[in-house]
Amino acid sequence: GFMAAMFRHFRSLRTMQRDHGWIHTLLEEAENERMHLLVCLRMFQAGPLTRALVVCAQMFMTPWLALLYVVHPRAVHRFVGYLEE
């Protein structure tokens, strides 16, 4: 959600056209996923190792997904869909 919202925002600025609320929808989805992560970390009483793994996964996945989103946005949406199921 957040990566897509960022790229939609940049495209909206480049083309100087309104987005008609799609950016906000994507940001709401990103907030929802963030809340799921926080609830899971609290429910399972995640220790330092689990938290470190989450940080490492974010550091690895963010640039990879950003690059993939530039090249093939549909693949990223499909990948996220698989993760959500």
Side-chain angles (χ1 to χ4, degrees):
F2 185 77
M3 298 299 286
M6 178 183 69
F7 283 107
R8 293 284 297 197
H9 173 70
F10 289 153
R11 182 174 15 163
S12 179
L13 291 176
R14 274 195 317 271
T15 60
M16 298 299 284
Q17 293 179 347
R18 293 196 53 190
D19 191 67
H20 303 290
W22 185 238
I23 292 171
H24 295 290
T25 303
L26 293 170
L27 286 175
E28 287 173 6
E29 178 64 24
E31 176 71 14
N32 184 30
E33 295 303 323
R34 185 181 75 88
M35 292 307 295
H36 284 142
L37 176 62
L38 291 175
V39 166
C40 285
L41 288 175
R42 182 154 298 181
M43 270 180 59
F44 299 116
Q45 298 174 351
L49 177 63
T50 305
R51 293 176 188 272
L53 287 173
V54 169
V55 170
C56 289
Q58 289 174 342
M59 288 174 50
F60 170 74
M61 293 299 286
T62 301
W64 184 79
L65 287 174
L67 180 64
L68 186 60
Y69 196 86
V70 168
V71 176
H72 200 275
R74 209 177 244 175
V76 176
H77 289 291
R78 188 174 297 146
F79 174 70
V80 171
Y82 288 136
L83 288 179
E84 288 180 350
E85 288 186 24

Coordinates of all heavy atoms in Angstrom, one line a residue:
G1 N 0.8 -1.2 0.0 CA 0.0 0.0 0.0 C 0.8 1.3 0.0 O 0.6 2.2 -0.8
F2 N 1.9 1.3 0.9 CA 2.6 2.5 1.0 C 3.5 2.8 -0.3 O 3.5 3.9 -0.7 CB 3.6 2.4 2.2 CG 4.3 3.7 2.4 CD1 3.7 4.8 3.0 CD2 5.6 3.8 2.1 CE1 4.3 6.0 3.2 CE2 6.3 5.0 2.3 CZ 5.7 6.1 2.9
M3 N 4.1 1.7 -0.8 CA 4.9 1.9 -2.0 C 4.0 2.4 -3.2 O 4.4 3.3 -3.9 CB 5.5 0.6 -2.4 CG 6.5 0.0 -1.4 SD 7.9 1.1 -1.1 CE 8.8 0.9 -2.5
A4 N 2.8 1.8 -3.3 CA 1.9 2.2 -4.4 C 1.5 3.6 -4.2 O 1.4 4.4 -5.2 CB 0.7 1.2 -4.5
A5 N 1.2 4.0 -3.0 CA 0.7 5.4 -2.7 C 1.8 6.4 -3.1 O 1.6 7.4 -3.6 CB 0.3 5.5 -1.3
M6 N 3.1 6.0 -2.7 CA 4.2 6.9 -3.0 C 4.3 7.1 -4.6 O 4.5 8.2 -5.0 CB 5.5 6.3 -2.5 CG 6.7 7.1 -2.8 SD 8.2 6.4 -2.2 CE 8.4 4.9 -3.2
F7 N 4.3 6.0 -5.3 CA 4.4 6.1 -6.8 C 3.2 6.8 -7.4 O 3.4 7.6 -8.3 CB 4.7 4.7 -7.4 CG 6.1 4.3 -7.2 CD1 6.3 3.2 -6.3 CD2 7.1 4.8 -7.9 CE1 7.6 2.8 -6.1 CE2 8.4 4.4 -7.7 CZ 8.7 3.4 -6.8
R8 N 2.0 6.6 -6.9 CA 0.9 7.3 -7.4 C 1.0 8.8 -7.1 O 0.7 9.7 -7.9 CB -0.4 6.8 -6.7 CG -0.8 5.4 -7.1 CD -1.4 5.3 -8.4 NE -2.6 6.0 -8.5 CZ -3.5 5.9 -9.5 NH1 -3.3 4.9 -10.4 NH2 -4.6 6.6 -9.6
H9 N 1.5 9.2 -5.9 CA 1.7 10.5 -5.5 C 2.7 11.2 -6.5 O 2.5 12.3 -7.0 CB 2.2 10.6 -4.1 CG 2.6 12.0 -3.7 ND1 1.7 13.0 -3.4 CD2 3.8 12.5 -3.4 CE1 2.3 14.1 -3.1 NE2 3.6 13.8 -3.0
F10 N 3.8 10.5 -6.7 CA 4.8 11.1 -7.7 C 4.3 11.3 -9.1 O 4.5 12.3 -9.7 CB 6.1 10.2 -7.7 CG 6.9 10.3 -6.4 CD1 7.7 9.2 -6.0 CD2 6.9 11.4 -5.6 CE1 8.5 9.3 -4.9 CE2 7.6 11.5 -4.4 CZ 8.4 10.4 -4.1
R11 N 3.5 10.3 -9.5 CA 2.9 10.4 -10.9 C 1.9 11.6 -10.9 O 1.9 12.3 -11.9 CB 2.2 9.1 -11.3 CG 1.7 9.2 -12.7 CD 1.1 8.0 -13.3 NE 0.8 6.9 -12.3 CZ 0.0 5.9 -12.6 NH1 -0.6 5.8 -13.7 NH2 -0.2 5.0 -11.7
S12 N 1.2 11.7 -9.9 CA 0.2 12.8 -9.8 C 0.9 14.2 -9.9 O 0.5 15.1 -10.5 CB -0.6 12.7 -8.5 OG -1.5 13.8 -8.4
L13 N 2.1 14.3 -9.2 CA 2.8 15.5 -9.2 C 3.5 15.7 -10.6 O 3.5 16.9 -11.1 CB 3.9 15.5 -8.2 CG 3.5 15.6 -6.7 CD1 4.7 15.5 -5.8 CD2 2.7 16.9 -6.5
R14 N 4.0 14.6 -11.2 CA 4.6 14.8 -12.5 C 3.6 15.2 -13.6 O 3.9 16.1 -14.4 CB 5.2 13.4 -13.0 CG 6.6 13.2 -12.5 CD 7.2 12.0 -13.3 NE 6.4 10.9 -13.5 CZ 6.3 9.9 -12.6 NH1 6.9 9.9 -11.5 NH2 5.5 8.9 -12.9
T15 N 2.4 14.6 -13.6 CA 1.4 14.9 -14.6 C 0.5 16.1 -14.2 O -0.3 16.6 -15.1 CB 0.5 13.7 -14.9 OG1 -0.1 13.4 -13.7 CG2 1.4 12.5 -15.4
M16 N 0.7 16.6 -13.0 CA -0.2 17.7 -12.5 C -1.7 17.4 -12.6 O -2.5 18.2 -13.0 CB 0.2 19.0 -13.2 CG 1.6 19.5 -12.9 SD 2.0 19.8 -11.2 CE 1.2 21.3 -11.0
Q17 N -2.0 16.1 -12.3 CA -3.4 15.7 -12.4 C -3.8 15.2 -11.0 O -3.0 14.6 -10.3 CB -3.6 14.6 -13.4 CG -3.4 15.1 -14.8 CD -3.6 14.0 -15.8 OE1 -3.6 12.8 -15.5 NE2 -3.6 14.3 -17.1
R18 N -5.1 15.3 -10.7 CA -5.6 14.8 -9.4 C -5.7 13.3 -9.4 O -5.8 12.7 -10.5 CB -7.1 15.3 -9.2 CG -7.1 16.8 -9.0 CD -8.4 17.3 -8.4 NE -8.6 16.4 -7.2 CZ -9.7 16.4 -6.6 NH1 -10.7 17.2 -7.0 NH2 -9.9 15.7 -5.5
D19 N -5.6 12.7 -8.3 CA -5.6 11.3 -8.1 C -7.0 10.7 -7.8 O -7.2 9.5 -7.8 CB -4.6 10.9 -7.0 CG -4.3 9.4 -7.0 OD1 -3.8 8.9 -8.0 OD2 -4.8 8.8 -6.0
H20 N -7.9 11.6 -7.4 CA -9.3 11.3 -7.0 C -9.4 10.3 -5.8 O -10.2 9.4 -5.8 CB -10.0 10.7 -8.2 CG -10.1 11.7 -9.4 ND1 -10.8 12.8 -9.3 CD2 -9.4 11.6 -10.6 CE1 -10.6 13.5 -10.5 NE2 -9.8 12.8 -11.2
G21 N -8.5 10.5 -4.9 CA -8.5 9.7 -3.6 C -7.9 8.4 -3.6 O -7.9 7.7 -2.6
W22 N -7.3 7.9 -4.7 CA -6.7 6.6 -4.7 C -5.5 6.5 -3.8 O -5.2 5.5 -3.1 CB -6.3 6.2 -6.1 CG -5.8 4.9 -6.3 CD1 -4.6 4.5 -6.8 CD2 -6.4 3.6 -6.0 NE1 -4.5 3.2 -6.9 CE2 -5.6 2.6 -6.4 CE3 -7.7 3.3 -5.5 CZ2 -5.9 1.2 -6.2 CZ3 -8.0 2.0 -5.3 CH2 -7.1 1.0 -5.7
I23 N -4.7 7.6 -3.7 CA -3.6 7.6 -2.8 C -4.0 7.4 -1.3 O -3.4 6.6 -0.6 CB -2.8 9.0 -2.9 CG1 -2.2 9.1 -4.2 CG2 -1.8 9.1 -1.8 CD1 -1.6 10.5 -4.5
H24 N -5.1 8.0 -0.9 CA -5.6 7.8 0.4 C -6.1 6.4 0.7 O -5.9 5.9 1.8 CB -6.7 8.8 0.7 CG -6.3 10.2 0.7 ND1 -5.5 10.8 1.7 CD2 -6.5 11.2 -0.2 CE1 -5.2 12.0 1.4 NE2 -5.9 12.3 0.3
T25 N -6.7 5.8 -0.3 CA -7.1 4.4 -0.2 C -5.9 3.5 0.0 O -5.9 2.6 0.9 CB -7.9 3.9 -1.4 OG1 -9.0 4.8 -1.6 CG2 -8.3 2.5 -1.3
L26 N -4.8 3.7 -0.7 CA -3.6 2.9 -0.6 C -2.9 3.1 0.8 O -2.4 2.2 1.4 CB -2.7 3.2 -1.7 CG -3.1 2.8 -3.1 CD1 -2.2 3.3 -4.2 CD2 -3.2 1.3 -3.2
L27 N -2.9 4.4 1.2 CA -2.4 4.7 2.6 C -3.2 4.1 3.7 O -2.6 3.6 4.7 CB -2.2 6.2 2.8 CG -1.1 6.9 2.0 CD1 -1.2 8.4 2.1 CD2 0.2 6.3 2.3
E28 N -4.5 4.0 3.5 CA -5.3 3.3 4.5 C -5.0 1.9 4.6 O -5.0 1.3 5.7 CB -6.8 3.6 4.2 CG -7.3 5.0 4.5 CD -8.7 5.2 4.0 OE1 -9.4 4.2 3.6 OE2 -9.2 6.3 4.1
E29 N -4.8 1.3 3.4 CA -4.4 -0.2 3.4 C -3.1 -0.4 4.1 O -2.9 -1.4 4.8 CB -4.4 -0.7 2.0 CG -4.0 -2.1 1.8 CD -4.9 -3.1 2.4 OE1 -6.1 -2.8 2.6 OE2 -4.5 -4.2 2.8
A30 N -2.1 0.5 3.8 CA -0.8 0.4 4.5 C -0.9 0.5 6.0 O -0.3 -0.2 6.8 CB 0.1 1.4 3.9
E31 N -1.8 1.4 6.5 CA -2.0 1.6 7.9 C -2.6 0.4 8.5 O -2.3 -0.1 9.6 CB -2.9 2.8 8.1 CG -3.3 3.0 9.6 CD -2.2 3.5 10.5 OE1 -1.1 3.9 9.9 OE2 -2.3 3.4 11.7
N32 N -3.6 -0.2 7.8 CA -4.2 -1.5 8.2 C -3.2 -2.6 8.4 O -3.2 -3.3 9.4 CB -5.3 -1.9 7.2 CG -6.1 -3.1 7.7 OD1 -6.2 -3.3 8.9 ND2 -6.5 -3.9 6.7
E33 N -2.3 -2.7 7.4 CA -1.2 -3.8 7.5 C -0.3 -3.5 8.6 O 0.2 -4.4 9.3 CB -0.5 -3.9 6.2 CG -1.3 -4.3 5.0 CD -2.0 -5.7 5.3 OE1 -1.4 -6.6 5.9 OE2 -3.1 -5.9 4.8
R34 N 0.0 -2.2 8.9 CA 0.9 -1.9 10.0 C 0.3 -2.2 11.3 O 0.9 -2.8 12.2 CB 1.2 -0.4 9.9 CG 2.2 0.1 11.0 CD 2.4 1.6 10.9 NE 1.3 2.3 11.5 CZ 1.2 2.6 12.8 NH1 2.1 2.3 13.6 NH2 0.1 3.3 13.2
M35 N -1.0 -2.0 11.4 CA -1.7 -2.3 12.7 C -1.7 -3.9 12.9 O -1.6 -4.3 14.0 CB -3.1 -1.8 12.7 CG -3.2 -0.3 12.8 SD -2.2 0.4 14.1 CE -3.1 -0.2 15.5
H36 N -1.9 -4.6 11.8 CA -1.8 -6.1 11.9 C -0.5 -6.5 12.4 O -0.4 -7.4 13.3 CB -2.1 -6.8 10.6 CG -3.5 -6.8 10.2 ND1 -3.9 -6.6 8.9 CD2 -4.6 -6.9 10.9 CE1 -5.2 -6.6 8.8 NE2 -5.7 -6.8 10.0
L37 N 0.6 -5.9 11.9 CA 1.9 -6.3 12.4 C 2.1 -6.0 13.9 O 2.6 -6.8 14.6 CB 3.0 -5.6 11.5 CG 4.4 -5.8 12.0 CD1 4.8 -7.3 11.9 CD2 5.4 -4.9 11.1
L38 N 1.7 -4.8 14.3 CA 1.8 -4.4 15.7 C 1.0 -5.3 16.6 O 1.5 -5.6 17.7 CB 1.4 -2.9 15.8 CG 2.3 -1.9 15.2 CD1 1.7 -0.5 15.3 CD2 3.7 -1.9 15.8
V39 N -0.2 -5.6 16.2 CA -1.0 -6.5 17.0 C -0.3 -7.9 17.1 O -0.2 -8.5 18.2 CB -2.4 -6.7 16.4 CG1 -3.2 -7.8 17.1 CG2 -3.2 -5.4 16.6
C40 N 0.2 -8.4 16.0 CA 0.9 -9.7 16.1 C 2.1 -9.7 17.0 O 2.4 -10.6 17.8 CB 1.3 -10.2 14.7 SG -0.1 -10.8 13.7
L41 N 2.9 -8.6 16.8 CA 4.1 -8.5 17.7 C 3.7 -8.4 19.2 O 4.4 -9.0 20.0 CB 4.9 -7.3 17.3 CG 5.6 -7.3 15.9 CD1 6.3 -6.0 15.6 CD2 6.7 -8.4 16.0
R42 N 2.6 -7.8 19.5 CA 2.2 -7.7 20.9 C 1.6 -9.0 21.4 O 1.9 -9.4 22.5 CB 1.3 -6.5 21.1 CG 0.9 -6.4 22.5 CD 0.5 -5.0 22.9 NE 1.6 -4.1 22.7 CZ 1.4 -2.8 23.0 NH1 0.3 -2.4 23.5 NH2 2.5 -2.0 22.8
M43 N 0.7 -9.6 20.6 CA 0.1 -10.8 21.0 C 1.0 -12.0 21.2 O 0.9 -12.7 22.2 CB -0.9 -11.3 19.9 CG -2.3 -10.7 20.0 SD -3.4 -11.3 18.7 CE -3.4 -13.0 18.9
F44 N 2.0 -12.1 20.4 CA 3.0 -13.2 20.5 C 4.2 -12.8 21.3 O 5.1 -13.6 21.4 CB 3.4 -13.7 19.1 CG 2.3 -14.2 18.3 CD1 1.9 -13.6 17.1 CD2 1.5 -15.3 18.7 CE1 0.8 -14.1 16.4 CE2 0.5 -15.8 18.0 CZ 0.1 -15.2 16.8
Q45 N 4.1 -11.6 21.9 CA 5.2 -11.1 22.8 C 6.6 -11.3 22.1 O 7.4 -12.1 22.6 CB 5.2 -11.8 24.2 CG 3.9 -11.6 24.9 CD 3.8 -12.3 26.2 OE1 4.5 -13.2 26.5 NE2 2.8 -12.0 27.0
A46 N 6.7 -10.7 21.0 CA 7.9 -10.8 20.2 C 9.1 -10.3 20.9 O 9.1 -9.2 21.5 CB 7.7 -10.1 18.9
G47 N 10.2 -11.1 20.9 CA 11.4 -10.8 21.6 C 12.3 -10.0 20.6 O 11.9 -9.6 19.5
P48 N 13.5 -9.7 21.1 CA 14.4 -8.9 20.3 C 14.8 -9.6 18.9 O 15.0 -8.9 17.9 CB 15.7 -8.8 21.2 CG 15.2 -9.0 22.5 CD 14.0 -9.9 22.4
L49 N 14.9 -10.9 18.9 CA 15.2 -11.6 17.7 C 14.1 -11.4 16.6 O 14.4 -11.1 15.5 CB 15.5 -13.0 17.9 CG 15.8 -13.9 16.7 CD1 17.1 -13.4 16.1 CD2 15.9 -15.3 17.0
T50 N 12.9 -11.6 17.0 CA 11.8 -11.4 16.1 C 11.7 -10.0 15.6 O 11.5 -9.8 14.4 CB 10.5 -11.8 16.8 OG1 10.6 -13.1 17.3 CG2 9.3 -11.7 15.8
R51 N 11.9 -9.0 16.5 CA 11.8 -7.6 16.1 C 13.0 -7.3 15.1 O 12.8 -6.6 14.1 CB 11.9 -6.7 17.3 CG 10.6 -6.8 18.1 CD 10.7 -6.0 19.4 NE 9.6 -6.2 20.2 CZ 8.4 -5.6 20.2 NH1 8.2 -4.7 19.3 NH2 7.4 -5.9 21.0
A52 N 14.2 -7.9 15.4 CA 15.3 -7.7 14.5 C 15.0 -8.3 13.1 O 15.4 -7.7 12.1 CB 16.5 -8.3 15.1
L53 N 14.4 -9.5 13.1 CA 14.0 -10.1 11.8 C 13.0 -9.2 11.0 O 13.1 -9.1 9.8 CB 13.4 -11.5 12.0 CG 14.5 -12.5 12.4 CD1 13.8 -13.8 12.8 CD2 15.5 -12.8 11.3
V54 N 12.1 -8.6 11.7 CA 11.1 -7.7 11.0 C 11.8 -6.5 10.4 O 11.6 -6.2 9.3 CB 10.0 -7.3 12.0 CG1 9.2 -6.1 11.4 CG2 9.1 -8.4 12.4
V55 N 12.8 -5.9 11.2 CA 13.5 -4.8 10.7 C 14.4 -5.2 9.4 O 14.4 -4.5 8.4 CB 14.4 -4.2 11.8 CG1 15.4 -3.2 11.2 CG2 13.5 -3.5 12.8
C56 N 15.0 -6.3 9.5 CA 15.8 -6.8 8.4 C 15.0 -7.1 7.2 O 15.4 -6.8 6.1 CB 16.6 -8.1 8.8 SG 18.0 -7.7 10.0
A57 N 13.8 -7.7 7.4 CA 12.9 -8.0 6.3 C 12.5 -6.7 5.6 O 12.4 -6.6 4.4 CB 11.7 -8.8 6.8
Q58 N 12.2 -5.7 6.4 CA 11.8 -4.4 5.8 C 12.9 -3.7 5.1 O 12.7 -3.2 4.0 CB 11.3 -3.5 6.9 CG 9.9 -3.9 7.5 CD 9.5 -3.0 8.7 OE1 10.3 -2.3 9.3 NE2 8.2 -3.1 9.0
M59 N 14.1 -3.8 5.6 CA 15.3 -3.2 5.0 C 15.6 -3.9 3.6 O 16.0 -3.3 2.7 CB 16.5 -3.3 5.9 CG 16.4 -2.3 7.0 SD 17.8 -2.4 8.2 CE 19.2 -2.4 7.2
F60 N 15.3 -5.2 3.6 CA 15.6 -6.0 2.3 C 14.5 -5.8 1.3 O 14.7 -5.6 0.1 CB 15.8 -7.5 2.7 CG 15.8 -8.3 1.4 CD1 16.9 -8.4 0.6 CD2 14.7 -9.1 1.1 CE1 16.9 -9.1 -0.5 CE2 14.7 -9.9 0.0 CZ 15.8 -9.9 -0.8
M61 N 13.2 -5.9 1.8 CA 12.1 -5.9 0.9 C 11.7 -4.5 0.3 O 11.3 -4.4 -0.8 CB 10.8 -6.4 1.6 CG 11.0 -7.9 2.0 SD 11.2 -9.0 0.6 CE 9.5 -9.0 -0.1
T62 N 12.0 -3.4 1.1 CA 11.5 -2.1 0.6 C 12.2 -1.7 -0.7 O 11.6 -1.4 -1.7 CB 11.8 -1.1 1.7 OG1 11.0 -1.4 2.8 CG2 11.4 0.3 1.2
P63 N 13.6 -1.8 -0.8 CA 14.2 -1.4 -2.1 C 13.9 -2.4 -3.2 O 13.6 -2.0 -4.4 CB 15.7 -1.4 -1.8 CG 15.9 -1.7 -0.4 CD 14.6 -2.0 0.2
W64 N 13.8 -3.7 -2.9 CA 13.4 -4.7 -3.9 C 12.0 -4.5 -4.4 O 11.8 -4.5 -5.6 CB 13.6 -6.1 -3.2 CG 13.3 -7.2 -4.2 CD1 14.2 -7.7 -5.1 CD2 12.1 -7.9 -4.4 NE1 13.7 -8.7 -5.8 CE2 12.4 -8.9 -5.4 CE3 10.9 -7.9 -3.8 CZ2 11.4 -9.8 -5.8 CZ3 10.0 -8.8 -4.2 CH2 10.2 -9.7 -5.2
L65 N 11.1 -4.2 -3.6 CA 9.7 -4.0 -4.0 C 9.6 -2.7 -4.8 O 8.8 -2.5 -5.7 CB 8.7 -4.0 -2.8 CG 8.5 -5.4 -2.3 CD1 7.6 -5.3 -1.0 CD2 7.8 -6.3 -3.3
A66 N 10.3 -1.6 -4.3 CA 10.3 -0.4 -5.1 C 10.8 -0.5 -6.5 O 10.2 0.0 -7.4 CB 11.1 0.7 -4.3
L67 N 11.9 -1.2 -6.6 CA 12.5 -1.5 -8.0 C 11.5 -2.3 -8.8 O 11.2 -2.0 -10.0 CB 13.8 -2.2 -7.9 CG 14.5 -2.5 -9.2 CD1 14.8 -1.2 -9.9 CD2 15.7 -3.3 -8.9
L68 N 10.9 -3.3 -8.2 CA 10.0 -4.2 -9.0 C 8.7 -3.4 -9.3 O 8.2 -3.5 -10.4 CB 9.6 -5.4 -8.1 CG 8.7 -6.4 -8.8 CD1 9.4 -7.0 -10.1 CD2 8.4 -7.6 -7.9
Y69 N 8.3 -2.4 -8.4 CA 7.1 -1.7 -8.7 C 7.4 -0.7 -9.9 O 6.5 -0.5 -10.7 CB 6.7 -0.9 -7.5 CG 5.3 -0.3 -7.6 CD1 4.2 -1.1 -7.2 CD2 5.0 0.9 -8.1 CE1 2.9 -0.7 -7.4 CE2 3.7 1.4 -8.2 CZ 2.7 0.6 -7.8 OH 1.4 1.1 -8.0
V70 N 8.6 -0.2 -10.0 CA 8.9 0.6 -11.2 C 8.9 -0.2 -12.5 O 8.3 0.3 -13.5 CB 10.3 1.3 -11.0 CG1 10.8 2.0 -12.3 CG2 10.2 2.3 -9.9
V71 N 9.4 -1.4 -12.4 CA 9.5 -2.2 -13.6 C 8.1 -2.9 -14.0 O 7.7 -2.9 -15.1 CB 10.6 -3.3 -13.4 CG1 10.6 -4.2 -14.6 CG2 11.9 -2.6 -13.2
H72 N 7.5 -3.5 -12.9 CA 6.3 -4.3 -13.2 C 5.3 -4.1 -12.0 O 5.3 -5.0 -11.1 CB 6.7 -5.7 -13.4 CG 5.6 -6.5 -14.2 ND1 4.6 -7.1 -13.5 CD2 5.4 -6.8 -15.5 CE1 3.8 -7.7 -14.4 NE2 4.3 -7.6 -15.6
P73 N 4.5 -3.1 -11.9 CA 3.6 -2.9 -10.8 C 2.6 -4.0 -10.5 O 2.3 -4.3 -9.4 CB 2.9 -1.6 -11.1 CG 3.6 -0.9 -12.2 CD 4.4 -2.0 -12.9
R74 N 2.2 -4.6 -11.6 CA 1.2 -5.7 -11.4 C 1.8 -6.9 -10.6 O 1.1 -7.6 -9.9 CB 0.7 -6.2 -12.8 CG -0.6 -6.7 -12.8 CD -1.0 -7.1 -14.2 NE -2.1 -6.2 -14.6 CZ -2.7 -6.2 -15.8 NH1 -2.2 -7.0 -16.7 NH2 -3.7 -5.5 -16.0
A75 N 3.1 -7.2 -10.8 CA 3.8 -8.3 -10.1 C 3.8 -8.0 -8.6 O 3.6 -8.9 -7.8 CB 5.2 -8.5 -10.7
V76 N 4.0 -6.7 -8.2 CA 4.0 -6.4 -6.8 C 2.7 -6.6 -6.2 O 2.5 -7.1 -5.1 CB 4.6 -4.9 -6.6 CG1 4.5 -4.6 -5.1 CG2 6.0 -4.8 -7.1
H77 N 1.6 -6.1 -6.9 CA 0.3 -6.3 -6.4 C -0.1 -7.8 -6.2 O -0.7 -8.2 -5.3 CB -0.7 -5.6 -7.3 CG -0.7 -4.1 -7.2 ND1 -1.0 -3.4 -6.1 CD2 -0.2 -3.2 -8.1 CE1 -0.9 -2.1 -6.4 NE2 -0.4 -2.0 -7.6
R78 N 0.4 -8.6 -7.2 CA 0.1 -10.0 -7.1 C 0.9 -10.6 -5.9 O 0.4 -11.5 -5.2 CB 0.6 -10.7 -8.4 CG 0.2 -12.1 -8.5 CD 0.5 -12.7 -9.9 NE -0.3 -12.0 -10.9 CZ 0.1 -11.8 -12.1 NH1 1.2 -12.2 -12.5 NH2 -0.7 -11.2 -13.0
F79 N 2.1 -10.2 -5.7 CA 3.0 -10.7 -4.6 C 2.3 -10.4 -3.3 O 2.2 -11.2 -2.4 CB 4.4 -10.1 -4.7 CG 5.3 -10.5 -3.6 CD1 5.7 -11.8 -3.4 CD2 5.6 -9.5 -2.7 CE1 6.5 -12.1 -2.3 CE2 6.5 -9.8 -1.6 CZ 6.9 -11.1 -1.4
V80 N 1.9 -9.1 -3.1 CA 1.2 -8.7 -1.9 C -0.1 -9.5 -1.7 O -0.4 -9.9 -0.5 CB 1.0 -7.2 -1.9 CG1 0.1 -6.8 -0.7 CG2 2.3 -6.4 -1.9
G81 N -0.8 -9.8 -2.7 CA -2.0 -10.6 -2.6 C -1.7 -12.0 -2.1 O -2.4 -12.5 -1.3
Y82 N -0.6 -12.6 -2.6 CA -0.2 -13.9 -2.1 C 0.1 -13.8 -0.6 O -0.2 -14.7 0.2 CB 1.0 -14.4 -2.9 CG 0.6 -14.9 -4.2 CD1 1.4 -14.6 -5.3 CD2 -0.5 -15.6 -4.5 CE1 1.1 -15.0 -6.6 CE2 -0.8 -16.0 -5.8 CZ 0.0 -15.7 -6.8 OH -0.3 -16.1 -8.1
L83 N 0.8 -12.7 -0.2 CA 1.2 -12.6 1.2 C 0.0 -12.4 2.1 O 0.0 -12.9 3.2 CB 2.1 -11.4 1.4 CG 3.5 -11.5 0.9 CD1 4.3 -10.2 1.1 CD2 4.3 -12.6 1.5
E84 N -1.1 -11.7 1.6 CA -2.3 -11.5 2.4 C -3.1 -12.8 2.6 O -3.8 -12.9 3.6 CB -3.1 -10.4 1.8 CG -2.5 -9.0 2.0 CD -3.3 -7.9 1.4 OE1 -4.3 -8.2 0.7 OE2 -3.0 -6.8 1.6
E85 N -3.0 -13.7 1.7 CA -3.7 -15.0 1.9 C -3.0 -15.9 2.7 O -2.8 -16.3 3.6 CB -4.0 -15.6 0.5 CG -5.0 -14.8 -0.3 CD -5.4 -15.5 -1.6 OE1 -5.2 -16.7 -1.6 OE2 -5.8 -14.8 -2.5

